[in-house]
Amino acid sequence: MTAVSHPSVPHATVAPEAPAETASAPAGTTESGRSFGKPIPRVEDNRLVSGNGRYLDDLGHGALAAAFVRSPHAHAHIRGIDVEAALELPGVHAIYTYEDLEADSPEMAENLPLLIPHPAITAPRNGYPLAKDEVNHVGEAIVMVVADNRYIAEDACALIDVDYETLPAVVGIETARSAEHTVHPDVPDNVAAHLQHGFGDIEAELAAAPHRLTLELEIERSASMPMEGKGVYARWDDDEKALTFWTSTQTSTSARAAIAARLGMAHNKVHCIAPDVGGGFGVKIVHPWPEEVMVTWAARRLGQAGIATEVKWVEDRREHFVSSAHERGQIHEVTVGFDDDGRLLAFDFSIWHDGGAYLPYGIIVLLNTSTQVLGPYKPRAFRVDAYSLYTNTVIVTPYRGAGRPQAVFAMERAMDAIAKHLGKDVLEIRETNFIRPEEMPYDFHLIFQDGRPLIYDSGDYQAGMDKLRKLIGWDEFAEYKERARAEGRRVGIGVGAYVEGTGPGPYEGAHVLVETSGKVKAATGLTTQGQGHQTSFAQIVADDLGVPVSDVEIVTGDTRRFGYAVGTFASRGAVMSGSAFHVAAQMVAEKAKKIASEHLHVDVADLELRGGHVCVVGTEPGAESTSIPLGVVAVLSNPLRYAFDESSRQATGFAGAEVDMSKPPVPEGEQPGLEATGYYSPPTSTFASGIHAAIVETDPVTAEIRVLRYAVVHDCGNVINPRIVEGQVQGAVAQGIGGALYERIVYDEHGQMLNASYMDFLMPFVTEMPDSLEMDHTVTPSALNPLGMKGAGEAGVIPTSAVIAAAIEDAEGIPITRMPISPSELFELRATHAASRNKENE
Amino acid sequence: MKPSPLTYHRPRSIDEACEILAEVAHEGKVLAGGQSLIPLLSMRLAAPAHLVDIGSVPRFDAISASPELGVTFDALTTHAALESDPAAAQVQPLLGRALRLVAHPTIRNRGTTVGSLVHADPSAEMPAVLALLGGAVTVRSVRGVRQIPAADLFAGPLESTLEADEIAIGASVPAARPGTGTAIDEIARRHGDYALVGVVARVQVDDGAVTSARMTYVSAGELGQVVDYTDVLRGACATDARDPLWQQVAELARETVDTEADIHATARYRSQLVAALTARVGFAAAQDAVRDDTRTPMHTGGHR
Amino acid sequence: MTSSTTGAEQADELQAETGEQHVAVNFTLNGVTQTVVLPSRTLASDAIRHHLRQTGTHVGCEHGVCGACTVLLDGKPVRSCLVLAASLEGRSVTTVEGLVEPDGTLHPVQQAFVDCHGLQCGFCTPGFVTTIAAFLEENPSPTQEEATEAIAGNLCRCTGYQNIRAAVLRAAEIKRERSGGSPLGPDSEAARASLDAKVRGTTAPVGGKAGRP
């Protein structure tokens, strides 16, 4: 237990802007007011708090259990695998190695795919669902065991003997760069990708700049670490020759497509459902995982053999550490050229990115770092020279922030360095460089990670900073720092600004259906891992259809309900599917008005949807001659139906004398049913932004570091549910603090992970959070979608390391160039700097 | 992560437990609270063929406390029960202070203090407390009962001196004496984590000045080793932390208490914490002694 | 009923079949007496989730740190991943499902989580709910600091904890509002009968083959 005290801190002199109404009718009641923008409680919560969630391992109690033999070596040839003893074990049904895949089909014997190709990827390499003849990281799957239960499966794994010839392990960026040893024999420099881009004349600007600084920076590897690990549950129907599988994923449509391809099956014979998912944070966007391939394949194989039709695999925490994905590890060299005012003339950025053993997800993280580094600023010249390197470690794929935290670290540390060099205020330097609202849209003439132009659509960075200054009490801090110093305490303040491209395409879609009961069933293909989509999307649809939120059921991530989707990542859920729901619901509303107008003999323009009815504007929903219940409209939309419910009874009152017999029952160009499928596909991402500040205290003796206060001002455009957005930001800030002060994946030089458990990989508990976390927001609606939304999911984690590093540096007077930082590391830094100061003084 | 197959025994008495252990000896492990053992089983770092669960032995979780005999507790006494026992808190307050630092309350609801003692983890608080107080563990086997004083309890990190067929059935610590104060503190990466460094101190004070000072360390020095700082601290002011002797002992501790490096801290940083905590906790113990003087003594002949 | 004999016989049968020692464990789960026959090395978390199909309790790390598996053992929070099922013999276990009242009303802590947006993905939530429910029995009017301390042993990756801490205080409020309602574990005959009816397969021994109904 730490014994650091919690002294009082300066508080903002101006109260933050009051959030939108905090009270609202509970979801279960009818209400006719707009729901968008209201912090209503979530509809999914009752089920989840009472223990009725259905997460992956809650399904398939009858399934056989899978476990994997995983490599204990970081780099080795596999000389042989002996499974004889394991096969003898009672309760073991099957054991598979790569040989079985090779014998099965070319698709199964193939490498796992490179999901996002890019011209800069010079040497793509990927693993196999089960290792073929080489393993390239501790944790790589080699053998799959299927048994009655997980206990027996693990027993069997312990009996399997793999003969390895170990090879030198390449661990760490420096080792990879030196290329003394290689990860992949045919990639002699360990370089997977080399990315170069920029604008302006960097050499000229650097040469001409009145001032130049070079910084060497480093961010170390961390990981998403959702509370629920990965899992796959597959069910084979041997009558239909069809496969249904559940996987704890961020993209069920893409997983379905990938598995269908692997198994050589038609899409309509493979369905994939994301059940309740216990967090993703990026790690669950990768697909197909080796285990997704193996479990589905095994279910089919055992199903066809009549042995069993259900197979399930649930990873344990250690497996997650060594066989899912990590992120953040990068080394930077930044050279900036600037003038006397601190205007950024040139930003020259070299990046060495630790990509892990394989490259299944391409270089998205690196693309983000190399573009989002620009933040809210407009340097005259910009150059990126970036390498993604192979190492004998776990693969690197996006983790919330996805390369942006590293980028912001680089830019914001540079901004602070410029300020220090010129003796100017850190906020002033940023203000000097902000892109102004009148300069929007701002085109950098670069290509963003979505393959589209990097064009900021809107944003007011100055307004954000103005709010932050008040929220954290920036101007009062100097005095507070002096008082603290007099008491022997060290405190510091730091700031960090960012711009985040959110809502990348290519598209999302939604289906909205009004049933004859008047209830609405809606679905979208992307997935949910705690973002409250069932509520926020229902709010959008409810507003468009004039029904209570509680009458709208939203399903996500189920290919049986919606087959075209991309997935949930890059803060795109609300923007993409929210917009698609709006498009689809608007289509339904238009159709409802059209049908109602015929039956009410009123112009479409005079009708609106309100209170569960289509009614004449300004009249009471339910009034007899001026409104029709939506459910009745649904009946009317399907003229061949003889329904037996209340709506159809009412509908017969409308069907009758005034039918135009010259027209077909289903009008030309129309379809039966009060439903629509709508898509949203934007030309570019929409750019959210934010600026954070932190006040930090460091202990002069023990070097313990504590965040006293943390303030966030963010801009995600128009907000569907402020409570949900606030929760997302709070959670992301916690991950940011974890990433700044606690979380670090540690590998030794042999590629052994030294902290593959929650005891030694330190995620924050409540006690590691600051005493106060304050939030405010600015709103610059997106011009790219009808509801003006921007993404918010990653906001909290993007600048956090930069902010905390700046605050520690302010407290200590020591440059902080490497994150995360622990008390021990701070102590050693102090010692190093004291030593060099002493040397200087001699 | 699931345990390997094992044969589970649920003895209804300690005699039965001893008999089973005598039979299975090195292939058996005793299960009490399980908070240390079960993770080892799940991670397959331990795979005993036999598990002897003494959790069903009735009336095996007593606590007794008296100024004469100190605090005695049984094998199944949980950290939580001991921590919240009012009599134990009166008789030996260091117990409760230390127990509050052990993991989190939920772990303490199940983990046993005796179990923690014989687990002999150098990163654990209770072995350091037992050593400092000069307590003892009572062990039993088919061959009889014996007491193992703290000084003889630890063979090395994670290794007690219990024989393979012995069960720890209880432990005891002496009562706090008038004029003696105790304190414990630690610095950990997160609240509730294993300490980077911890210090337990017991200081005697007479007339506002230190007359003796002994300390044990968590995650530093040698498991169970009591360090005597009396020579340095004799005469130190028990009410003024600025007395230079407190700094002196800090520096002595830095030089003499061994520390190791791991992924969380360098050896040098741990030494910094050793120094800081030696002074801080030593002083806190001295203050505790002074406070103790002003309390109504509950000890007979309690004259300081 | 002769559950213990049947249980022991079942255990022997299963041992003969699988080669692995099985035990019969009799305990109370959410107010309902259970006899479950399972391999002796089975963790309590697995017994509750898979043998008894109460999947509200979740497993996040299986080494006792995250707290998602926390259940109440005789009213006190413990990590069910650090308890052998066999050690539950004769004890009483309450899980998150058992905190819901017989008529479906949420426990004050559960309601507080809904009120305060104290959950996002919901995976860690049951561990928090049981922990806080027990805490409030001991300390019905906690301060902000005490509320923080109460939840200091459970990990959450989604929420950042602010709303969970608020939920502790809100739950105390709801308890006061309801005052006199919803104790841990039913103690009235009617409530017990209602729970029996809700839990399928009530008091008959549950087969020991993991993963098979």
Side-chain angles (χ1 to χ4, degrees):
Chain A
M1 188 186 290
T2 47
V4 177
S5 63
H6 303 180
S8 64
V9 298
H11 281 275
T13 50
V14 174
E17 210 175 271
E21 335 162 15
T22 46
S24 71
T29 64
T30 55
E31 60 173 42
S32 47
R34 266 181 71 76
S35 178
F36 190 101
K38 293 222 173 82
I40 65 171
R42 299 193 328 169
V43 307
E44 45 267 74
D45 282 355
N46 275 41
R47 184 173 63 85
L48 295 175
V49 295
S50 53
N52 289 307
R54 283 168 52 85
Y55 302 86
L56 197 291
D57 193 38
D58 301 340
L59 314 171
H61 289 283
L64 296 182
F68 290 84
V69 174
R70 298 185 181 280
S71 172
H73 302 292
H75 198 192
H77 282 310
I78 298 171
R79 287 203 285 232
I81 305 174
D82 183 355
V83 304
E84 290 311 311
L87 280 170
E88 301 297 309
L89 206 58
V92 172
H93 294 277
I95 301 184
Y96 303 111
T97 65
Y98 182 78
E99 270 180 32
D100 299 294
L101 307 182
E102 209 166 29
D104 183 275
S105 64
E107 291 84 22
M108 284 303 290
E110 243 173 42
N111 289 101
L112 294 167
L114 169 61
L115 290 174
I116 311 175
H118 189 281
I121 299 174
T122 48
R125 295 290 178 275
N126 261 315
Y128 297 89
L130 292 176
K132 184 174 171 182
D133 37 36
E134 193 176 89
V135 284
N136 281 298
H137 67 86
V138 170
E140 189 167 351
I142 303 170
V143 185
M144 178 163 100
V145 171
V146 182
D148 280 341
N149 60 57
R150 177 74 181 207
Y151 289 70
I152 295 173
E154 289 188 12
D155 294 343
C157 288
L159 292 174
I160 291 171
D161 194 24
V162 182
D163 186 18
Y164 300 99
E165 178 201 328
T166 57
L167 300 166
V170 177
V171 182
I173 293 173
E174 301 297 358
T175 312
R177 279 173 77 179
S178 79
E180 193 192 325
H181 297 290
T182 59
V183 175
H184 302 289
D186 54 349
V187 186
D189 55 1
N190 289 320
V191 172
H194 184 200
L195 174 69
Q196 292 175 300
H197 62 209
F199 54 79
D201 188 339
I202 190 78
E203 297 292 354
E205 293 287 354
L206 276 175
H211 308 277
R212 265 178 306 277
L213 283 175
T214 297
L215 290 84
E216 279 164 19
L217 304 166
E218 187 174 345
I219 297 237
E220 296 191 64
R221 200 184 256 225
S222 181
S224 301
M225 285 302 147
M227 293 305 297
E228 183 201 24
K230 311 196 303 286
V232 189
Y233 162 52
R235 212 191 262 169
W236 174 255
D237 181 337
D238 206 43
D239 294 327
E240 297 288 329
K241 305 289 185 247
L243 174 77
T244 307
F245 72 102
W246 288 256
T247 175
S248 195
T249 183
Q250 292 172 227
T251 175
S252 43
T253 46
S254 307
R256 183 264 294 266
I259 295 301
R262 281 280 144 173
L263 299 182
M265 292 175 67
H267 278 206
N268 68 351
K269 287 294 194 181
V270 180
H271 276 295
C272 177
I273 303 111
D276 287 323
V277 174
F281 311 114
V283 71
K284 293 176 180 174
I285 194 59
V286 177
H287 62 280
W289 289 102
E291 298 86 2
E292 285 172 334
V293 174
M294 292 309 302
V295 169
T296 50
W297 179 78
R300 179 174 72 174
R301 185 139 153 157
L302 293 169
Q304 286 168 335
I307 295 173
T309 55
E310 299 175 67
V311 179
K312 184 167 74 165
W313 168 79
V314 178
E315 80 182 345
D316 60 41
R317 186 51 54 182
R318 185 179 150 73
E319 274 183 289
H320 187 81
F321 270 103
V322 299
S323 68
S324 56
H326 304 156
E327 202 233 286
R328 300 280 194 263
Q330 286 180 359
I331 290 179
H332 299 158
E333 191 178 289
V334 172
T335 301
V336 288
F338 51 101
D339 64 18
D340 294 332
D341 293 326
R343 256 223 74 204
L344 198 55
L345 305 170
F347 192 94
D348 197 8
F349 192 20
S350 295
I351 310 170
W352 293 272
H353 171 87
D354 183 345
Y358 302 115
L359 210 68
Y361 208 77
I363 51 167
I364 291 300
V365 173
L366 197 52
L367 284 168
N368 277 340
T369 307
S370 64
T371 49
Q372 304 264 249
V373 65
L374 292 161
Y377 312 118
K378 45 188 177 180
R380 280 220 292 256
F382 171 66
R383 175 170 64 185
V384 163
D385 192 28
Y387 293 87
S388 181
L389 296 156
Y390 285 117
T391 59
N392 284 115
T393 60
V394 167
I395 61 175
V396 170
T397 65
Y399 159 35
R400 200 176 202 173
R404 297 178 193 84
Q406 298 92 309
V408 172
F409 188 66
M411 177 58 86
E412 294 301 281
R413 298 278 58 221
M415 283 287 159
D416 285 345
I418 291 172
K420 189 164 163 195
H421 186 87
L422 296 173
K424 284 180 180 288
D425 174 61
V426 297
L427 293 188
E428 189 191 319
I429 293 298
R430 286 161 171 88
E431 284 173 3
T432 303
N433 284 288
F434 276 156
I435 298 169
R436 303 273 145 205
E438 55 270 21
E439 294 175 276
M440 297 291 185
Y442 194 91
D443 188 344
F444 284 97
H445 303 288
L446 289 175
I447 300 297
F448 188 44
Q449 59 115 327
D450 56 359
R452 316 289 286 187
L454 182 68
I455 303 175
Y456 292 176
D457 50 316
S458 59
D460 189 345
Y461 312 126
Q462 184 66 55
M465 175 178 282
D466 293 341
K467 282 201 170 185
L468 181 75
R469 194 189 276 267
K470 294 201 186 93
L471 189 59
I472 193 77
W474 187 276
D475 297 327
E476 291 75 42
F477 182 75
E479 194 198 311
Y480 171 73
K481 189 174 181 180
E482 265 314 302
R483 284 202 315 270
R485 193 202 307 273
E487 294 167 20
R489 292 170 50 212
R490 288 186 203 181
V491 297
I493 195 167
V495 67
Y498 71 91
V499 170
E500 182 195 354
T502 67
Y507 69 86
E508 285 299 331
H511 176 253
V512 174
L513 164 78
V514 180
E515 295 182 322
T516 57
S517 63
K519 299 261 196 271
V520 181
K521 296 280 188 280
T524 185
L526 59 58
T527 58
T528 307
Q529 307 87 41
Q531 300 91 337
H533 290 155
Q534 273 73 31
T535 304
S536 54
F537 295 158
Q539 289 177 257
I540 291 176
V541 174
D543 279 355
D544 283 327
L545 298 183
V547 298
V549 172
S550 53
D551 276 359
V552 179
E553 179 201 87
I554 302 284
V555 170
T556 64
D558 185 338
T559 59
R560 300 170 303 191
R561 288 294 301 272
F562 202 92
Y564 284 101
V566 183
T568 303
F569 54 92
S571 308
R572 71 195 294 275
V575 171
M576 301 303 295
S577 283
S579 300
F581 272 116
H582 180 62
V583 169
Q586 285 284 306
M587 288 161 69
V588 169
E590 284 313 302
K591 183 165 183 182
K593 283 194 264 184
K594 224 156 127 185
I595 294 170
S597 99
E598 283 167 22
H599 287 92
L600 291 175
H601 309 292
V602 169
D603 247 14
V604 168
D606 294 328
L607 290 172
E608 64 179 1
L609 274 71
R610 194 156 37 86
H613 287 69
V614 185
C615 52
V616 174
V617 175
T619 65
E620 269 308 299
E624 212 181 289
S625 51
T626 53
S627 77
I628 312 182
L630 257 187
V632 173
V633 176
V635 174
L636 294 171
S637 73
N638 189 7
L640 301 179
R641 178 195 177 104
Y642 292 86
F644 297 97
D645 56 16
E646 179 57 39
S647 295
S648 62
R649 275 195 284 281
Q650 291 184 45
T652 59
F654 289 97
E658 300 183 46
V659 174
D660 184 344
M661 293 302 175
S662 71
K663 291 202 180 120
V666 179
E668 180 106 19
E670 292 289 344
Q671 297 174 0
L674 190 52
E675 62 180 288
T677 300
Y679 289 90
Y680 171 67
S681 179
T684 59
S685 295
T686 179
F687 287 81
S689 62
I691 184 166
H692 299 190
I695 294 174
V696 150
E697 175 160 4
T698 59
D699 187 297
V701 175
T702 66
E704 286 166 289
I705 304 161
R706 177 145 189 97
V707 181
L708 300 177
R709 285 185 63 209
Y710 198 92
V712 172
V713 175
H714 72 103
D715 184 343
C716 58
N718 291 334
V719 167
I720 308 168
N721 187 319
R723 186 187 293 218
I724 288 178
V725 167
E726 182 188 75
Q728 289 286 304
V729 173
Q730 287 172 341
V733 168
Q735 283 179 305
I737 288 174
L741 299 175
Y742 297 98
E743 296 167 21
R744 191 167 63 100
I745 298 277
V746 181
Y747 275 100
D748 71 11
E749 72 266 31
H750 304 295
Q752 296 295 326
M753 197 180 308
L754 298 181
N755 60 345
S757 83
Y758 281 167
M759 286 182 270
D760 289 315
F761 178 79
L762 308 176
M763 286 150 54
F765 289 92
V766 64
T767 39
E768 284 65 62
M769 294 297 291
D771 297 330
S772 109
L773 167 52
E774 289 152 288
M775 291 201 286
D776 199 351
H777 55 274
T778 52
V779 180
T780 59
S782 171
L784 296 176
N785 60 75
L787 296 171
M789 305 177 287
K790 298 179 178 178
E794 291 164 274
V797 75
I798 291 173
T800 323
S801 274
V803 170
I804 292 178
I808 295 172
E809 185 165 323
D810 185 50
E812 294 278 325
I814 297 173
I816 305 294
T817 58
R818 191 172 156 196
M819 294 294 269
I821 186 165
S822 67
S824 176
E825 284 159 344
L826 178 58
F827 174 77
E828 295 297 337
L829 267 181
R830 284 175 178 171
T832 309
H833 280 268
S836 64
R837 268 199 297 276
N838 287 341
K839 268 214 168 69
E840 281 167 26
N841 291 340
E842 276 163 16
Chain B
M1 289 160 32
K2 311 291 183 192
S4 308
L6 47 79
T7 300
Y8 173 82
H9 305 268
R10 192 193 283 143
R12 300 294 300 169
S13 72
I14 271 302
D15 283 335
E16 202 188 323
C18 289
E19 274 157 30
I20 298 168
L21 254 196
E23 263 185 59
V24 304
H26 289 281
E27 293 206 308
K29 271 210 164 317
V30 174
L31 175 67
Q35 304 303 277
S36 303
L37 180 57
I38 293 184
L40 295 178
L41 297 181
S42 291
M43 291 192 249
R44 301 201 176 203
L45 293 171
H50 295 268
L51 202 59
V52 184
D53 184 355
I54 58 173
S56 289
V57 173
R59 295 180 301 281
F60 206 24
D61 57 0
I63 304 170
S64 68
S66 72
E68 297 77 28
L69 301 172
V71 180
T72 308
F73 46 95
D74 286 350
L76 295 182
T77 306
T78 61
H79 295 304
L82 191 53
E83 178 189 343
S84 59
D85 187 84
Q90 269 278 30
V91 171
Q92 182 45 271
L94 181 60
L95 274 180
R97 290 173 192 152
L99 287 165
R100 267 190 283 291
L101 300 179
V102 173
H104 292 283
T106 302
I107 300 289
R108 301 204 288 273
N109 282 339
R110 187 91 187 130
T112 64
T113 308
V114 169
S116 173
L117 292 172
V118 300
H119 190 59
D121 190 342
S123 322
E125 293 84 359
M126 299 318 291
V129 168
L130 190 83
L132 183 66
L133 293 177
V137 169
T138 307
V139 305
R140 186 163 160 174
S141 68
V142 291
R143 296 171 284 113
V145 178
R146 66 183 181 112
Q147 299 274 347
I148 309 180
D152 302 328
L153 182 58
F154 308 115
L158 297 172
E159 218 191 305
S160 74
T161 55
L162 267 66
E163 302 287 345
D165 66 342
E166 286 181 319
I167 304 178
I169 59 172
S172 64
V173 293
R177 287 201 301 271
T180 306
T182 56
I184 178 173
D185 201 1
E186 62 186 40
I187 290 175
R189 287 289 278 126
R190 296 172 304 182
H191 181 76
D193 275 350
Y194 279 116
L196 292 173
V197 168
V199 175
V200 201
R202 187 196 212 182
V203 171
Q204 261 186 304
V205 169
D206 193 10
D207 222 358
V210 172
T211 55
S212 84
R214 287 181 182 80
M215 305 196 197
T216 54
Y217 290 87
V218 180
S219 294
E222 217 180 282
L223 171 62
Q225 184 186 58
V226 180
V227 183
D228 193 333
Y229 290 119
T230 304
D231 286 343
V232 180
L233 281 176
R234 189 175 290 112
C237 179
T239 50
D240 187 354
R242 291 166 305 175
D243 185 329
L245 291 179
W246 294 114
Q247 260 323 105
Q248 251 185 274
V249 73
E251 291 315 307
L252 177 63
R254 186 198 301 276
E255 297 307 312
T256 55
V257 178
D258 279 334
T259 56
E260 297 201 345
D262 65 11
I263 64 169
H264 298 302
T266 61
R268 184 162 65 160
Y269 176 65
R270 278 204 161 87
S271 293
Q272 172 80 350
L273 299 184
V274 163
L277 284 174
T278 297
R280 199 189 289 180
V281 178
F283 182 69
Q287 291 205 297
D288 185 53
V290 171
R291 257 199 312 274
D292 181 58
D293 280 353
T294 64
R295 266 199 301 232
T296 313
M298 58 174 288
H299 324 283
T300 53
H303 164 74
R304 65 156 194 89
Chain C
M1 63 166 299
T2 56
S3 58
S4 58
T5 317
T6 315
E9 283 173 359
Q10 270 210 11
D12 290 338
E13 266 174 42
L14 287 164
Q15 173 149 8
E17 253 183 70
T18 65
E20 197 185 329
Q21 186 202 37
H22 283 58
V23 286
V25 188
N26 306 282
F27 70 104
T28 309
L29 178 61
N30 294 327
V32 176
T33 317
Q34 303 284 353
T35 299
V36 60
V37 182
L38 35 62
S40 51
R41 56 173 162 162
T42 308
L43 300 170
S45 43
D46 289 333
I48 291 166
R49 286 179 47 73
H50 296 299
H51 295 262
L52 293 167
R53 304 285 171 96
Q54 298 299 293
T55 56
T57 304
H58 301 143
V59 174
C61 74
E62 238 163 13
H63 48 273
V65 180
C66 76
C69 70
T70 305
V71 300
L72 302 180
L73 185 60
D74 296 333
K76 298 217 189 296
V78 298
R79 308 276 199 244
S80 62
C81 75
L82 296 187
V83 178
L84 288 187
S87 299
L88 298 177
E89 177 67 31
R91 313 290 291 270
S92 159
V93 175
T94 308
T95 66
V96 61
E97 294 98 328
L99 293 177
V100 180
E101 290 180 31
D103 69 354
T105 309
L106 294 178
H107 186 279
V109 176
Q110 292 165 326
Q111 185 60 54
F113 267 76
V114 178
D115 292 351
C116 295
H117 187 37
L119 66 151
Q120 291 179 28
C121 81
F123 196 76
C124 72
T125 307
F128 274 100
V129 168
T130 50
T131 302
I132 297 167
F135 167 73
L136 288 174
E137 291 291 308
E138 302 284 310
N139 187 348
S141 293
T143 61
Q144 172 110 342
E145 255 169 43
E146 288 166 341
T148 303
E149 187 64 39
I151 61 172
N154 289 57
L155 276 176
C156 173
R157 199 59 168 160
C158 289
T159 66
Y161 303 105
Q162 314 286 307
N163 292 347
I164 296 179
R165 176 174 43 216
V168 178
L169 300 169
R170 171 76 184 130
E173 205 172 67
I174 295 174
K175 277 188 86 150
R176 279 192 294 277
E177 284 165 16
R178 292 191 195 176
S179 59
S182 192
L184 287 173
D187 53 2
S188 75
E189 288 299 336
R192 191 180 296 276
S194 164
L195 266 179
D196 276 8
K198 265 174 58 179
V199 178
R200 293 186 320 277
T202 60
T203 57
V206 178
K209 279 193 189 157
R212 296 254 159 86

